[in-house]
Amino acid sequence: MTDVDVMAAYSRDRAPWVDNGVPAVVAVPSHVDDVRRILEVAADHQVAVVPRGSGSGLTGGANALDGCVVLSTHRLRNEPVLRAADRRVRVAAGVLTAEVKQHVAPHGLLYPPDPASSAFCTIGGNVATNAGGLCCVRYGVTRDWVREVEMVLPGGDLVRFGHSAPKSVAGLDLTSLVVGSEGTLGVVTGASLGLTRSQPGHATIVAYFADVADAGRAVVACVDRAQPPTLLEIMDQTTIRAVEEWQSMDLDTSAAALLLVQVPTDGLVESEVADLTRICEETGATQTFGSTDPTEAEMLLHARRVAFEALERRGVPLLEDVAVNVSRLPELIEQIQAISARHAITIATFGHAGDGNLHPIVLIEDQDPETRIRARGAFEAILDATLELGGTISAEHGIGLLKLPFLEAELGGRALDLMAGVKQVFDPLSIMNPGKSVPLPQPVALS
């Protein structure tokens, strides 16, 4: 596709404040052989290729470069191939995450990774960014569930990494290397995913707090138990109010924070709910209630899933994706509050509190240059505070363009040199998503 307006729709993801270029063409293959041919031609002409799933990313990782080929994988689709006895499913890159879940559910199986965008994000994009989600506290991230990955290398070679056996230590773990590589090593075209037994149902506990730091302390206590919750999410007052203004869900907008906790409805559910409720009350909850009704649970989770969209309606959101050890979570929350006051800027905080992963959003409600400067300062201050607490600048969204200038502060120069070397082995011409996620071993000349 070469129409200017059509190409514009494929030229960036959802990250604000990150520039994008104008591609020479947008390629939308529907078969792996098409991907191979595109990458063969791109290598012959040394033209950059920017892979893209559904564009739901939040770091500029899929943003076009001037003169590049944007390669969208959303038409690489198949009927998921389920091997229920082996708890595996093979899918093409363009299959939506929610579709995988729906396909395996009738067999009593679950694909656990659960990004808030699961209704419209693709498996290829999830693999490329190592996506996380709401259930990471118990189940981990995408990398923990990818058993094999199919990828086309620059030049057109099709490779498969991983193992069909349930475990193997044969060779280096190239599967884990590819997961999270953000299109810098090749184009993910499919994957074999691990599954687990689904739970018959969940009990959901909601706790409101008058102090967001108290909610952080409740998170630490909830996780420090024999069995972690299936889900443990936090929303601060700014987020609660934004969701309520948009969706009118009868949330308590006077509360400083809301915790959502879920546990499976097994034989110990009553004692589990009672224990988690007690923990929340002892750490300062002003109001708690629980429910085993699936409809009520889905409504409450919907409030968390639409948090980002609700905040987008109030201004331009500059989204963080930081994480610390859960024991340091209350300190990080307090630091974010102090940064908000110091920079005189609204910061809305929500996220996957159970594994220490917060999404503070620096909300730019006025577009004057001075506000943007203060917002950028707050954004960088949050990254600095996170690193001082021993955390990471990106827990699940990736690096893309947004976080690349800050990567050395976390990993060090020697690690970046090694990453650049790995990229050069896979992509000697540096045509795969150059300038994103990892440093380039050499400057890129685009034709």
Side-chain angles (χ1 to χ4, degrees):
M1 299 185 290
T2 56
D3 180 89
V4 174
D5 292 334
V6 173
M7 289 198 300
Y10 285 84
S11 293
R12 61 178 302 114
D13 63 16
R14 301 176 71 195
W17 284 30
V18 183
D19 292 335
N20 64 278
V22 178
V25 63
V26 173
V28 189
S30 55
H31 193 276
V32 173
D33 288 341
D34 299 331
V35 179
R36 299 182 67 182
R37 180 61 178 149
I38 292 165
L39 292 192
E40 180 183 9
V41 171
D44 287 345
H45 294 275
Q46 296 189 39
V47 174
V49 178
V50 176
R52 170 191 170 92
S54 61
S56 62
L58 294 160
T59 66
N63 283 18
L65 305 170
D66 285 336
C68 78
V69 174
V70 170
L71 194 161
S72 177
T73 60
H74 73 273
R75 287 185 186 165
L76 295 176
R77 295 179 57 79
N78 70 329
E79 179 75 12
V81 180
L82 176 63
R83 291 162 51 190
D86 296 329
R87 297 189 183 181
R88 286 199 180 199
V89 61
R90 181 175 289 278
V91 297
V95 176
L96 301 181
T97 307
E99 291 175 329
V100 176
K101 292 176 175 291
Q102 292 162 5
H103 186 82
V104 304
H107 302 271
L109 296 170
L110 171 69
Y111 175 60
D114 189 29
S117 58
S118 61
F120 53 90
C121 63
T122 64
I123 289 296
N126 286 182
V127 172
T129 59
N130 191 26
L134 277 66
C135 296
C136 293
V137 61
R138 175 169 289 202
Y139 294 115
V141 294
T142 298
R143 179 179 284 116
D144 299 307
W145 297 92
V146 175
R147 303 294 179 255
E148 298 174 275
V149 63
E150 177 186 89
M151 188 168 97
V152 178
L153 299 174
D157 288 341
L158 178 67
V159 293
R160 292 182 177 86
F161 302 129
H163 309 277
S164 59
K167 65 178 183 178
S168 173
V169 293
L172 298 178
D173 185 3
L174 297 180
T175 307
S176 292
L177 180 64
V178 168
V179 179
S181 59
E182 300 187 50
T184 61
L185 306 181
V187 177
V188 173
T189 54
S192 177
L193 307 172
L195 307 170
T196 189
R197 283 290 171 195
S198 58
Q199 299 290 342
H202 289 86
T204 305
I205 300 100
V206 179
Y208 288 101
F209 291 80
D211 187 307
V212 69
D214 285 343
R217 285 183 276 275
V219 170
V220 176
C222 287
V223 172
D224 187 23
R225 303 166 67 250
Q227 289 293 330
T230 306
L231 173 151
L232 208 175
E233 297 288 307
I234 192 170
M235 295 166 61
D236 73 354
Q237 185 178 72
T238 303
T239 308
I240 295 169
R241 288 180 174 177
V243 171
E244 184 64 22
E245 287 168 8
W246 181 31
Q247 299 275 331
S248 187
M249 301 178 64
D250 200 27
L251 302 175
D252 182 0
T253 56
S254 68
L258 176 157
L259 284 188
L260 287 171
V261 191
Q262 276 195 346
V263 292
T265 51
D266 54 25
L268 300 174
V269 63
E270 290 185 5
S271 61
E272 287 273 285
V273 170
D275 188 39
L276 289 164
T277 300
R278 176 189 57 78
I279 288 171
C280 290
E281 291 174 346
E282 289 179 353
T283 49
T286 57
Q287 181 185 172
T288 61
F289 66 90
S291 175
T292 57
D293 182 87
T295 303
E296 286 186 359
E298 188 52 42
M299 181 192 72
L300 292 165
L301 290 185
H302 178 71
R304 166 59 188 86
R305 291 184 193 280
V306 301
F308 182 68
E309 288 80 0
L311 289 162
E312 278 185 312
R313 297 167 66 87
R314 295 186 55 174
V316 178
L318 191 55
L319 179 65
E320 295 272 19
D321 173 36
V322 294
V324 293
N325 287 317
V326 175
S327 63
R328 310 300 298 271
L329 191 69
E331 294 173 77
L332 179 58
I333 290 172
E334 290 175 341
Q335 292 254 26
I336 292 169
Q337 289 179 307
I339 290 167
S340 176
R342 188 164 67 245
H343 290 265
I345 198 85
T346 300
I347 301 179
T349 300
F350 61 88
H352 317 306
D355 57 6
N357 181 193
L358 294 181
H359 299 316
I361 291 185
V362 181
L363 199 59
I364 306 154
E365 297 164 291
D366 300 311
Q367 292 301 308
D368 61 278
E370 193 272 337
T371 300
R372 293 171 68 90
I373 291 171
R374 286 188 287 109
R376 190 71 188 185
F379 180 86
E380 295 182 6
I382 293 171
L383 296 179
D384 290 340
T386 301
L387 292 177
E388 288 172 4
L389 292 171
T392 178
I393 62 174
S394 182
E396 60 180 12
H397 292 167
I399 297 298
L401 287 170
L402 186 64
K403 299 288 183 72
L404 190 58
F406 310 97
L407 193 57
E408 186 173 355
E410 177 175 338
L411 301 180
R414 182 60 179 141
L416 296 194
D417 290 342
L418 291 169
M419 291 179 187
V422 170
K423 177 172 173 60
Q424 192 163 29
V425 170
F426 276 76
D427 180 24
L429 297 175
S430 292
I431 64 171
M432 292 307 309
N433 215 8
K436 317 278 185 64
S437 180
V438 296
L440 288 172
Q442 58 190 27
V444 178
L446 302 182
S447 60

Short mmCIF file of all heavy atoms in Angstrom, two decimals, residues 16 36 72 78 81 100 107 115 121 133 146 156 205 211 222 229 267 269 294 325 357 359 363 401:
data_model
loop_
_atom_site.label_atom_id
_atom_site.label_comp_id
_atom_site.label_asym_id
_atom_site.label_seq_id
_atom_site.Cartn_x
_atom_site.Cartn_y
_atom_site.Cartn_z
N PRO A 16 2.49 8.66 22.59
CA PRO A 16 2.60 10.07 22.24
C PRO A 16 4.05 10.55 22.41
O PRO A 16 4.88 9.88 23.01
CB PRO A 16 1.68 10.76 23.24
CG PRO A 16 1.74 9.88 24.45
CD PRO A 16 1.92 8.47 23.92
N ARG A 36 8.98 -13.80 3.70
CA ARG A 36 10.33 -14.16 3.27
C ARG A 36 10.76 -13.35 2.05
O ARG A 36 11.88 -12.84 1.99
CB ARG A 36 10.40 -15.65 2.96
CG ARG A 36 10.10 -16.56 4.14
CD ARG A 36 10.23 -18.02 3.78
NE ARG A 36 11.62 -18.37 3.49
CZ ARG A 36 12.01 -19.59 3.11
NH1 ARG A 36 11.12 -20.55 2.96
NH2 ARG A 36 13.27 -19.83 2.86
N SER A 72 3.28 -5.19 8.24
CA SER A 72 2.23 -5.52 9.21
C SER A 72 1.89 -7.00 9.14
O SER A 72 1.60 -7.52 8.05
CB SER A 72 0.98 -4.68 8.94
OG SER A 72 -0.05 -5.05 9.83
N ASN A 78 -4.38 -18.03 11.30
CA ASN A 78 -4.72 -19.43 11.10
C ASN A 78 -5.75 -19.83 12.14
O ASN A 78 -6.00 -19.12 13.12
CB ASN A 78 -3.48 -20.33 11.21
CG ASN A 78 -2.95 -20.42 12.64
OD1 ASN A 78 -3.08 -19.48 13.42
ND2 ASN A 78 -2.34 -21.56 12.97
N VAL A 81 -3.97 -24.38 16.20
CA VAL A 81 -3.82 -25.84 16.21
C VAL A 81 -3.56 -26.27 17.65
O VAL A 81 -2.48 -26.06 18.19
CB VAL A 81 -2.66 -26.27 15.29
CG1 VAL A 81 -2.51 -27.79 15.32
CG2 VAL A 81 -2.89 -25.77 13.87
N VAL A 100 -6.98 -16.63 21.10
CA VAL A 100 -6.31 -17.81 21.62
C VAL A 100 -7.01 -18.28 22.89
O VAL A 100 -7.30 -19.47 23.07
CB VAL A 100 -4.82 -17.52 21.90
CG1 VAL A 100 -4.16 -18.73 22.55
CG2 VAL A 100 -4.10 -17.15 20.62
N HIS A 107 -11.88 -26.38 26.23
CA HIS A 107 -11.15 -27.60 26.58
C HIS A 107 -10.63 -27.55 28.01
O HIS A 107 -9.82 -28.41 28.40
CB HIS A 107 -9.99 -27.80 25.60
CG HIS A 107 -10.41 -27.87 24.16
ND1 HIS A 107 -10.76 -29.05 23.54
CD2 HIS A 107 -10.58 -26.88 23.24
CE1 HIS A 107 -11.11 -28.79 22.28
NE2 HIS A 107 -11.00 -27.50 22.08
N PRO A 115 -2.63 -9.18 28.59
CA PRO A 115 -2.50 -7.72 28.48
C PRO A 115 -3.86 -7.05 28.49
O PRO A 115 -4.87 -7.64 28.06
CB PRO A 115 -1.82 -7.53 27.11
CG PRO A 115 -1.21 -8.85 26.78
CD PRO A 115 -2.08 -9.89 27.43
N CYS A 121 -4.76 -6.88 20.63
CA CYS A 121 -3.33 -7.07 20.37
C CYS A 121 -3.09 -8.48 19.81
O CYS A 121 -3.86 -9.41 20.06
CB CYS A 121 -2.51 -6.84 21.63
SG CYS A 121 -2.83 -7.99 22.99
N GLY A 133 0.71 -8.32 31.61
CA GLY A 133 -0.73 -8.23 31.80
C GLY A 133 -1.16 -8.38 33.23
O GLY A 133 -0.35 -8.35 34.17
N VAL A 146 5.99 -19.18 25.88
CA VAL A 146 6.38 -19.45 24.49
C VAL A 146 7.28 -20.67 24.47
O VAL A 146 8.36 -20.67 25.06
CB VAL A 146 7.09 -18.24 23.86
CG1 VAL A 146 7.59 -18.59 22.46
CG2 VAL A 146 6.15 -17.05 23.80
N GLY A 156 15.47 -13.34 4.37
CA GLY A 156 14.40 -14.24 3.97
C GLY A 156 14.46 -15.64 4.52
O GLY A 156 13.57 -16.45 4.25
N ILE A 205 -11.90 -9.56 45.37
CA ILE A 205 -11.95 -8.69 46.54
C ILE A 205 -11.63 -7.28 46.09
O ILE A 205 -10.64 -7.05 45.36
CB ILE A 205 -10.96 -9.13 47.63
CG1 ILE A 205 -11.27 -10.56 48.09
CG2 ILE A 205 -10.98 -8.17 48.81
CD1 ILE A 205 -10.39 -11.61 47.48
N ASP A 211 -5.36 6.32 51.68
CA ASP A 211 -3.98 6.70 51.40
C ASP A 211 -3.40 5.69 50.42
O ASP A 211 -3.45 4.47 50.67
CB ASP A 211 -3.16 6.73 52.70
CG ASP A 211 -1.76 7.28 52.49
OD1 ASP A 211 -1.05 6.79 51.60
OD2 ASP A 211 -1.37 8.21 53.23
N CYS A 222 -0.34 -8.89 50.90
CA CYS A 222 -1.13 -9.87 50.13
C CYS A 222 -0.24 -10.85 49.37
O CYS A 222 -0.58 -12.03 49.24
CB CYS A 222 -2.05 -9.15 49.14
SG CYS A 222 -3.47 -8.32 49.89
N PRO A 229 -2.06 -14.27 44.88
CA PRO A 229 -3.33 -14.11 44.17
C PRO A 229 -3.13 -14.37 42.68
O PRO A 229 -2.01 -14.36 42.16
CB PRO A 229 -3.69 -12.64 44.42
CG PRO A 229 -2.77 -12.15 45.47
CD PRO A 229 -1.57 -13.03 45.46
N GLY A 267 -11.51 -25.05 47.09
CA GLY A 267 -12.11 -25.42 48.37
C GLY A 267 -11.79 -24.48 49.51
O GLY A 267 -12.48 -24.48 50.52
N VAL A 269 -11.70 -21.14 49.24
CA VAL A 269 -12.00 -19.77 48.82
C VAL A 269 -12.48 -18.89 49.95
O VAL A 269 -12.10 -17.73 50.06
CB VAL A 269 -13.01 -19.79 47.65
CG1 VAL A 269 -14.35 -20.38 48.07
CG2 VAL A 269 -13.21 -18.38 47.10
N PRO A 294 -19.24 -13.95 38.42
CA PRO A 294 -18.37 -13.65 37.27
C PRO A 294 -18.70 -12.32 36.60
O PRO A 294 -17.81 -11.63 36.12
CB PRO A 294 -18.62 -14.83 36.32
CG PRO A 294 -19.19 -15.91 37.16
CD PRO A 294 -19.96 -15.23 38.25
N ASN A 325 10.95 -4.48 43.09
CA ASN A 325 10.55 -5.58 43.96
C ASN A 325 9.35 -5.13 44.78
O ASN A 325 9.26 -3.97 45.20
CB ASN A 325 11.71 -5.98 44.87
CG ASN A 325 12.79 -6.73 44.13
OD1 ASN A 325 12.51 -7.60 43.31
ND2 ASN A 325 14.05 -6.39 44.39
N ASN A 357 4.82 -3.88 39.31
CA ASN A 357 4.81 -3.19 38.02
C ASN A 357 3.74 -2.09 38.02
O ASN A 357 2.55 -2.38 38.05
CB ASN A 357 4.53 -4.21 36.92
CG ASN A 357 4.53 -3.64 35.52
OD1 ASN A 357 4.08 -4.30 34.59
ND2 ASN A 357 5.02 -2.43 35.33
N HIS A 359 2.16 1.60 36.30
CA HIS A 359 2.05 2.43 35.09
C HIS A 359 1.69 3.86 35.49
O HIS A 359 0.54 4.28 35.35
CB HIS A 359 0.99 1.87 34.15
CG HIS A 359 1.26 0.49 33.65
ND1 HIS A 359 2.50 0.10 33.21
CD2 HIS A 359 0.46 -0.60 33.53
CE1 HIS A 359 2.45 -1.17 32.84
NE2 HIS A 359 1.23 -1.62 33.02
N LEU A 363 0.21 13.15 33.00
CA LEU A 363 -0.93 13.60 32.19
C LEU A 363 -0.76 15.06 31.82
O LEU A 363 -0.71 15.95 32.69
CB LEU A 363 -2.22 13.40 32.99
CG LEU A 363 -3.53 13.36 32.19
CD1 LEU A 363 -3.50 12.24 31.17
CD2 LEU A 363 -4.70 13.18 33.13
N LEU A 401 11.38 3.42 21.07
CA LEU A 401 12.07 4.71 20.99
C LEU A 401 12.01 5.45 22.32
O LEU A 401 12.95 6.15 22.70
CB LEU A 401 11.44 5.58 19.90
CG LEU A 401 11.72 5.21 18.45
CD1 LEU A 401 10.82 6.02 17.52
CD2 LEU A 401 13.18 5.44 18.10
#
